[in-house]
Amino acid sequence: MEFEAAKKHTMGEEDEVEEEEAVMDERIYVAVGREPAKNKSNLSWVLDNCEGNKICIVLVHRPAQMIPVLGTKFDAATVDEELVRAYREKQKAKTEKILDEYLRICLRKGVQAEKLCVEMNSIEKGILQMISENRVRKFIMGAASDKHYSTKMEDLRSKKAIFVCQHASVTCHMRFICKGYLIHTREARMDEVRALSALLSDFQRLVSSQSSTTSDQESGVSKRNSEDEEEEERESRTSSSRSASTLSYFGGSEASSSVSVLEEKSNRSSPPSLPCTGMGLGMITFLISSIKLWQKLSIQNHKHCE
């Protein structure tokens, strides 16, 4: 018993060490522009304040939409595909060189960094896609261009920064820098995420229980329906034989018409059931809780970005 307790204690310590190492290994993604000279101050702030973390330099590359041909630029849709591909490859190579320049800045500070080129027509949407695909937990970008900086600056001036702040995943901790100063911080909100995960697990449980109950009910109903159909079929055969003998006895057309009317009334289907009849109290409670949580998330996200 003592050995098992000591083993569990050791395993618990190992799990804690692994968690700490995972946190230390967590990358900080830094969005930069195409001009290293203008972004150098922001990158220097990251390198000075994020020691011990791995750095990933992110640059969104927008494929050229206007292609130069014989001294004149034409829309890419009207130019030969080979010319468009060749020109865009050259522009992509320039983007890689810009990223390499940022890596050299990191090396001068003694920091090993990685580079990531994201190809997207929209810079802000490219950043959001990168955050989602890489499950980014720490992200830094510019709050505005350096010319907009002032000592009293406390809010975001860049439309791209505002868009990213409003739409990025709530699990991502975000910092916005201007001219080497921290302007705005958007904290990651894990409590709401855990609550949403709990709601989703409850939803899956409710759906599974609802489906099993529904299948049981459907099997019981189908069994009863088959028994009722057999009974109706026997009664219909009996009534048909009786009505046939009666009609043959009386030989009148009025009797046949009345029988056909009765059969038409008996064959009418019952009215359809309401679409919400299968929804239980648990499902309704889940839907109400989900709506409240999403409203809370949207309100808090709006307040963080004001």
Side-chain angles (χ1 to χ4, degrees):
M1 295 294 291
E2 293 179 357
F3 174 75
E4 291 180 357
K7 185 178 179 181
K8 290 181 180 179
H9 179 70
T10 305
M11 291 177 64
E13 291 180 350
E14 290 177 354
D15 294 338
E16 292 178 359
V17 171
E18 289 178 357
E19 290 179 359
E20 291 177 358
E21 290 177 352
V23 172
M24 291 298 293
D25 188 56
E26 199 170 56
R27 287 172 175 79
I28 296 178
Y29 290 76
V30 184
V32 296
R34 297 188 65 84
E35 300 182 31
K38 292 184 177 181
N39 291 267
K40 188 176 180 180
S41 59
N42 291 345
L43 183 58
S44 297
W45 183 94
V46 176
L47 299 176
D48 293 337
N49 292 272
C50 301
E51 295 181 0
N53 293 95
K54 292 184 178 180
I55 306 296
C56 183
I57 307 298
V58 181
L59 181 57
V60 179
H61 171 74
R62 292 186 294 179
Q65 300 301 318
M66 301 299 293
I67 311 299
V69 179
L70 300 176
T72 306
K73 289 188 176 182
F74 296 91
D75 188 274
T78 62
V79 181
D80 182 72
E81 292 183 1
E82 291 296 331
L83 292 176
V84 173
R85 186 181 299 108
Y87 182 74
R88 286 180 174 175
E89 286 179 356
K90 290 180 180 179
Q91 295 298 314
K92 185 81 175 287
K94 289 182 179 180
T95 300
E96 294 291 340
K97 289 182 179 180
I98 294 172
L99 283 169
D100 291 337
E101 178 62 27
Y102 282 112
L103 293 182
R104 283 191 287 270
I105 295 174
C106 295
L107 284 176
R108 294 189 198 108
K109 290 276 190 176
V111 177
Q112 293 285 343
E114 301 174 355
K115 64 179 181 179
L116 176 61
C117 181
V118 180
E119 191 168 335
M120 181 72 71
N121 291 326
S122 169
I123 293 178
E124 51 268 38
K125 291 182 180 179
I127 291 174
L128 292 180
Q129 178 177 310
M130 183 274 303
I131 291 175
S132 175
E133 291 180 351
N134 295 277
R135 298 181 180 179
V136 176
R137 295 297 179 89
K138 295 179 181 179
F139 177 75
I140 299 175
M141 70 176 294
S145 57
D146 290 351
K147 64 181 180 180
H148 290 118
Y149 174 76
S150 66
T151 55
K152 297 181 180 180
M153 184 177 175
E154 296 180 353
D155 56 348
L156 304 178
R157 301 288 181 84
S158 169
K159 292 182 179 179
K160 297 180 181 67
I162 294 172
F163 184 86
V164 172
C165 181
Q166 290 177 344
H167 296 89
S169 170
V170 295
T171 61
C172 182
H173 179 90
M174 309 183 73
R175 293 179 180 179
F176 298 87
I177 313 297
C178 184
K179 207 173 183 179
Y181 294 93
L182 178 61
I183 302 301
H184 181 76
T185 300
R186 197 202 76 170
E187 300 288 345
R189 300 191 296 278
M190 296 302 298
D191 294 337
E192 287 83 354
V193 176
R194 293 191 185 97
L196 182 59
S197 300
L199 280 174
L200 290 175
S201 62
D202 291 341
F203 175 75
Q204 293 175 351
R205 178 177 54 81
L206 286 171
V207 168
S208 61
S209 62
Q210 189 79 11
S211 60
S212 61
T213 304
T214 304
S215 61
D216 293 340
Q217 291 177 351
E218 289 178 351
S219 60
V221 170
S222 60
K223 184 178 181 180
R224 288 195 299 270
N225 288 339
S226 61
E227 293 176 355
D228 294 340
E229 288 176 358
E230 291 177 357
E231 183 67 23
E232 289 177 359
E233 187 177 355
R234 287 196 297 270
E235 291 180 356
S236 62
R237 286 198 297 267
T238 304
S239 60
S240 298
S241 59
R242 290 177 180 175
S243 59
S245 59
T246 305
L247 287 173
S248 60
Y249 178 79
F250 287 102
S253 61
E254 294 180 357
S256 62
S257 62
S258 62
V259 170
S260 63
V261 170
L262 291 174
E263 290 179 350
E264 182 180 356
K265 288 182 180 181
S266 63
N267 290 330
R268 288 178 183 174
S269 60
S270 59
S273 59
L274 295 175
C276 300
T277 52
M279 186 176 292
L281 180 60
M283 186 70 71
I284 296 173
T285 305
F286 166 78
L287 293 174
I288 295 172
S289 301
S290 300
I291 293 170
K292 289 181 179 179
L293 178 59
W294 281 117
Q295 289 175 344
K296 181 181 177 182
L297 286 174
S298 60
I299 292 172
Q300 288 184 354
N301 198 16
H302 179 70
K303 288 182 179 178
H304 275 279
C305 298
E306 287 182 347

